């Protein structure tokens, strides 16, 4: 694959997770309406999004070169795909928490992998 093709793929992966992370406000409103949770309880989705990003970024930064950047991105995409498939199968507020935890952790993998791969290019 050419260098420009790799860059487009990397940017697309990063943008996909940017879109998913910025959807938390809408999901909070939908959770209040659909699952009947309070505003205070629904706002915990922000933490389920942000805390895994910090924790996974800190933990995997030194381990990622051994795992491989491409493999880490595939793991991130597979994790989010599994969580997205779980959402309609078991619709609940707990599943929303799992989804945003998976999105946050996977974004950390994608972020570190994309930055590192761009540095290699």
């Amino acid at each position: 694959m050419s260098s420009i093709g790799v860059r487009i793929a990397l940017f697309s992966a990063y943008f996909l997770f940017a879109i998913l992370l910025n959807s938390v406000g809408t999901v909070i409103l939908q959770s209040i309406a659909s699952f009947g949770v309070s505003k205070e309880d629904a706002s915990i989705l922000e933490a389920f999004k942000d805390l895994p990003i910090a924790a996974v970024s800190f933990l995997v930064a030194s381990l990622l070169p051994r795992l491989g950047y491409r493999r880490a991105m595939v793991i991130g995409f597979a994790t989010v795909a599994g969580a997205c498939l779980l959402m309609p199968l078991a619709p609940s507020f707990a599943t929303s928490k799992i989804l945003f935890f998976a999105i946050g952790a996977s974004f950390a993998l994608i972020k570190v992998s994309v930055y590192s791969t761009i540095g290699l290019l």
Side-chain angles (χ1 to χ4, degrees):
M1 186 180 252
S2 68
S3 176
I4 192 75
V6 172
R7 288 183 183 175
I8 289 172
L10 293 174
F11 293 150
S12 298
Y14 197 80
F15 294 150
L16 172 72
F17 278 92
I19 291 167
L20 287 172
L21 288 170
N22 286 323
S23 69
V24 72
T26 304
V27 175
I28 287 173
L29 291 175
Q30 288 296 323
S31 295
I32 293 169
S34 299
F35 303 127
V37 297
S38 68
K39 290 181 182 179
E40 293 79 20
D41 291 338
S43 67
I44 199 163
L45 288 177
E46 285 284 348
F48 273 88
K49 173 190 72 132
D50 293 333
L51 293 178
I53 294 173
V56 173
S57 294
F58 179 73
L59 294 174
V60 303
S62 62
L63 301 174
L64 213 52
R66 283 187 257 158
L67 176 65
Y69 301 129
R70 186 176 63 108
R71 187 174 295 149
M73 286 191 255
V74 169
I75 290 169
F77 282 127
T79 303
V80 169
C84 286
L85 288 173
L86 183 64
M87 194 67 196
L89 296 175
S92 69
F93 186 64
T95 311
S96 299
K97 291 178 185 178
I98 292 169
L99 175 66
F100 277 100
F101 186 86
I103 290 172
S106 297
F107 174 71
L109 290 173
I110 297 291
K111 178 182 71 168
V112 174
S113 297
V114 166
Y115 289 168
S116 300
T117 304
I118 288 175
L120 293 174
L121 294 176

